[in-house]
Amino acid sequence: MHPLRGYIVRDGGKMVGYGGAIPVSYSLDGQRIGALAATTLRVNEGHVQCGLGIMLRMRRLGEQVPFAHTTPVPKLRKVLHDMGAKVESHLVRRLVPIGTFSRLLPGGSGWPKLDPSMTVVTSVSDVTRLAEPALPRKGLEPFVSLESLCWQLTTPMHQLHFIGAVDITGTLYSCLILRRRERVMRAFTAWEVVQSWTARNSAEEVQALVGKLVRDPGLLGERLNWLSSTAFPEDRHWEGTPRLTEHQEEVCHYFLLPESCREVKKLSMLAEGDLLL
């Protein structure tokens, strides 16, 4: 969707700096558009201006296509603020017990159940295609396709896991991408939902997939006692679901956006940028 893979800065033939870019896609009011995710930026000592030059090039490119930055580096975050990037710096994290512990939580058995016509799969290889959305997609959100799911799940950076709901033809209607998160709230190891998607007109089926994992802790091959879900302000997938605790957490999601995207609602996910790639 976009040819850029980053920038290299040379001084007298020697590389003194670089900034990477990963091609990704977004959906803008239902239409797929090319986008980029910034990754590692490094410059040699004495060439600080090279880093600023790379960031300025990325800002100019961000006037043409969405450009996601998920850097935790304070200096770069300040630069992105000064550049007018859209900031998604806070999300709500919810923690729920899995298995036997879930019965101790008031309403812990209240997760929706999957429709009998649907089957739960834990490998994207069992998916033949994605269902068409029941409602027109509005706003800006990460684009999801079978190709992008396969690509995402093969990242060498993390061991990501997949849970999906398919019909008899293998058509995917809803799914979750999860990773194993260590020391959630400094005390627990949990499955962490990093992305959710549904073609339905409600989040009930996404919640039913979580309910399946809550009732069957060994579904993903490893028995953990906790599940953590995260939601940015526009993500309604977890409203009204059982939880033991919830708290606000700081993250580093910044987006350089073209004029056509700046005023639309944006659905953000933890799995954006290069955090999981």
Side-chain angles (χ1 to χ4, degrees):
M1 294 295 289
H2 201 282
L4 184 72
R5 299 295 177 269
Y7 300 102
I8 293 173
V9 182
R10 292 186 174 88
D11 183 8
K14 179 182 178 182
M15 186 171 74
V16 296
Y18 68 89
I22 301 171
V24 293
S25 296
Y26 277 82
S27 170
L28 178 60
D29 292 337
Q31 299 298 312
R32 185 180 184 182
I33 60 173
L36 293 162
T39 187
T40 307
L41 190 154
R42 295 293 298 273
V43 295
N44 288 354
E45 288 187 24
H47 294 83
V48 176
Q49 292 302 315
C50 294
L52 183 58
I54 291 173
M55 291 296 293
L56 289 172
R57 284 176 178 263
M58 289 182 174
R59 183 180 68 173
R60 287 195 291 272
L61 200 54
E63 295 172 354
Q64 304 169 31
V65 297
F67 213 136
H69 293 253
T70 49
T71 176
V73 179
K75 286 184 179 179
L76 290 180
R77 294 177 68 179
K78 183 179 185 308
V79 170
L80 288 164
H81 270 288
D82 293 344
M83 286 181 173
K86 178 180 176 63
V87 184
E88 295 274 9
S89 59
H90 291 90
L91 52 71
V92 173
R93 181 177 295 279
R94 295 176 172 89
L95 190 70
V96 299
I98 294 176
T100 304
F101 292 110
S102 67
R103 300 181 193 135
L104 305 177
L105 183 68
S109 59
W111 294 92
K113 291 190 176 181
L114 205 62
D115 188 277
S117 65
M118 305 300 291
T119 301
V120 173
V121 296
T122 57
S123 173
V124 75
S125 62
D126 294 323
V127 177
T128 57
R129 66 186 184 93
L130 267 62
E132 292 295 325
L135 296 174
R137 313 300 281 201
K138 295 294 184 182
L140 184 69
E141 61 182 273
F143 180 83
V144 177
S145 67
L146 182 55
E147 178 190 27
S148 69
L149 288 173
C150 291
W151 179 72
Q152 225 176 342
L153 291 163
T154 54
T155 174
M157 295 302 294
H158 297 270
Q159 188 174 359
L160 299 180
H161 298 263
F162 172 85
I163 303 177
V166 300
D167 67 9
I168 195 171
T169 68
T171 300
L172 183 72
Y173 281 82
S174 301
C175 68
L176 303 171
I177 296 178
L178 309 95
R179 67 172 173 175
R180 192 176 187 272
R181 178 180 168 92
E182 303 289 345
R183 294 173 61 84
V184 172
M185 294 182 66
R186 302 182 181 179
F188 306 102
T189 301
W191 293 119
E192 178 183 50
V193 179
V194 297
Q195 186 163 333
S196 55
W197 175 86
T198 184
R200 307 294 191 183
N201 59 7
S202 77
E204 185 172 339
E205 195 168 72
V206 166
Q207 295 172 9
L209 290 174
V210 173
K212 178 70 174 175
L213 181 58
V214 168
R215 291 186 290 270
D216 182 4
L219 182 64
L220 295 177
E222 183 178 4
R223 298 179 71 89
L224 301 182
N225 293 324
W226 303 93
L227 180 133
S228 171
S229 65
T230 55
F232 287 90
E234 293 297 329
D235 185 356
R236 310 296 187 207
H237 285 173
W238 312 115
E239 288 185 349
T241 57
R243 58 189 176 276
L244 178 65
T245 65
E246 73 173 40
H247 66 277
Q248 196 172 78
E249 191 169 294
E250 185 179 359
V251 290
C252 308
H253 280 47
Y254 296 83
F255 302 95
L256 298 169
L257 299 173
E259 189 68 36
S260 59
C261 301
R262 288 176 191 167
E263 300 303 322
V264 301
K265 287 186 177 180
K266 184 180 184 307
L267 175 62
S268 295
M269 295 282 174
L270 192 61
E272 287 183 77
D274 71 340
L275 284 178
L276 300 180
L277 298 175

